[in-house]
Amino acid sequence: MQFLTDDWAIALTVAANKHEAFKKEAAGQHAIFELTVADSPAADVYHMAFSGDSFAVRLGAPTESADIKAALDYST
């Protein structure tokens, strides 16, 4: 599965939301991380959103302001 594709984002979201230890630690957290990826052959921005009892990874910039922004290159 290629990094930064729709399939990758869906698979990561599903896996995280099924992982009991992850869900326990993420419970009650509210944060949006926006990550810009230079030299990506797919999407160049994605975001992760923690919202109380759910977690989601989506391609593109978030619709709300990100709490944390980071930039990295594709190989990282």
Side-chain angles (χ1 to χ4, degrees):
M1 181 174 317
Q2 184 179 357
F3 177 50
L4 296 178
T5 62
D6 285 327
D7 289 340
W8 168 82
I10 292 167
L12 182 53
T13 298
V14 169
N17 285 302
K18 284 184 178 181
H19 193 277
E20 290 303 319
F22 180 85
K23 287 186 349 182
K24 181 181 175 185
E25 294 300 321
Q29 302 300 317
H30 295 276
I32 298 173
F33 295 75
E34 181 179 341
L35 298 110
T36 302
V37 182
D39 304 322
S40 171
D44 59 351
V45 176
Y46 71 100
H47 66 279
M48 298 181 288
F50 293 86
S51 180
D53 62 350
S54 69
F55 170 79
V57 177
R58 294 186 179 95
L59 300 181
T63 57
E64 300 176 45
S65 291
D67 299 294
I68 297 172
K69 292 184 178 186
L72 52 132
D73 61 20
Y74 187 79
S75 64
T76 301

